[in-house]
Amino acid sequence: MIGKIFSTVVYLVMLTAIANAKSFELASVEESKPFSLRIYCTDEGKAALVQYKGKTGYLALRLKKFTTSVLTNTNKLPEGYYYEWDELMNGKITGSYGVVEQSGKITDAWYVRNKDGRRFKLTGSAKNDSPDEIQKYLLHNVLITFAWTSADDQFMFTYPDGKVITPNFLSLDAPDARRSCYIKDYNFDGYDDVAFSVPDAGMGVYQTFNIWLYDPSTKRFKELQESKDARAKCSCLCDVTLNPKEKLLYTACRGGASWWQDIYRINKNNQLIWLRSSEKR
């Protein structure tokens, strides 16, 4: 029983892992016509795109493989991350990229061009962006731009048809606070969605979320609305976690001296349906 509870806790912790933006600055090695590029993605390699230096456009990257290893006392190997993506142009695979990162440094990187199978060796670094630098994701062919400490007008969805939407999201109350970003399937429909969170405006003991759900029928993102059910203990989308197995969404908040958890389902209209609340001990 204890093992089962522990497994459940670990499972939920994994689901709440933050997928922060990451980028790699890469350049060709020993090429007569050198080139350089930058890959934007999450820590897990999702929502990736590649932009070549001197070019204003970008290409979509589809994650093909992501693995990680953790430092242990037995093998003494550094923590490592392996990324591999397919490059897409007009829906067709035109090449593939790979990056191996260990201890914050790139130890191997390459590009393989599909038309002739040629492999280009790349070198470079994992970039540590400043908090106010613009970040980029490409999710369902929608360009998402934002900065960790930005004002609302720096957060945009740019759709393939040229439509640009600047939604409102929660303001940062503390001068040193930063947003967290997550890419997960929040409504369990098989399509990844995007969420941002900030520390609550009070004691900063939990995170308050904005979640945008992707609608494949309209090819647009729409914000998930908070529950209006009076039985819910939390009035916001706070400390959101997911249970994909049961297709449940949990929120948690602090009220007075107690911690509370609300449990919801999401219906076909992407509305939160309250199921129950309980005190967390």
Side-chain angles (χ1 to χ4, degrees), residues 20-21 132-137 144-148 150 154-156 169 179 181 196:
N20 282 327
D132 57 351
E133 185 170 349
I134 296 297
Q135 309 294 332
K136 299 178 183 179
Y137 285 151
I144 304 170
T145 54
F146 65 97
W148 299 120
S150 71
Q154 289 179 294
F155 173 40
M156 292 181 289
F169 60 179
R179 303 184 192 282
C181 186
F196 293 88

Side-chain angles (χ1 to χ4, degrees), residues 24-29 104-109 122-127:
F24 301 105
E25 287 194 343
L26 303 170
S28 60
V29 177
K105 297 181 179 180
I106 294 176
T107 57
D108 195 12
L122 305 174
T123 186
S125 61
K127 185 171 174 59

Side-chain angles (χ1 to χ4, degrees), residues 9 17 77 83 94 96 103 108 123 127 151 168 171 181 202 210 221 226 234 266 268:
V9 171
L77 293 174
Y83 303 87
T94 52
S96 60
S103 300
D108 195 12
T123 186
K127 185 171 174 59
N168 292 321
S171 299
C181 186
N210 289 121
F221 284 93
E226 298 172 358
C234 301
I266 300 182
K268 63 180 181 180

Side-chain angles (χ1 to χ4, degrees), residues 22-28 35-40 51 53 99 106 109 122-129 133:
K22 162 173 279 189
S23 62
F24 301 105
E25 287 194 343
L26 303 170
S28 60
F35 59 89
S36 58
L37 57 97
R38 185 168 175 178
I39 293 175
Y40 297 84
Q51 192 164 28
K53 187 175 181 179
V99 173
I106 294 176
L122 305 174
T123 186
S125 61
K127 185 171 174 59
N128 295 317
D129 298 331
E133 185 170 349

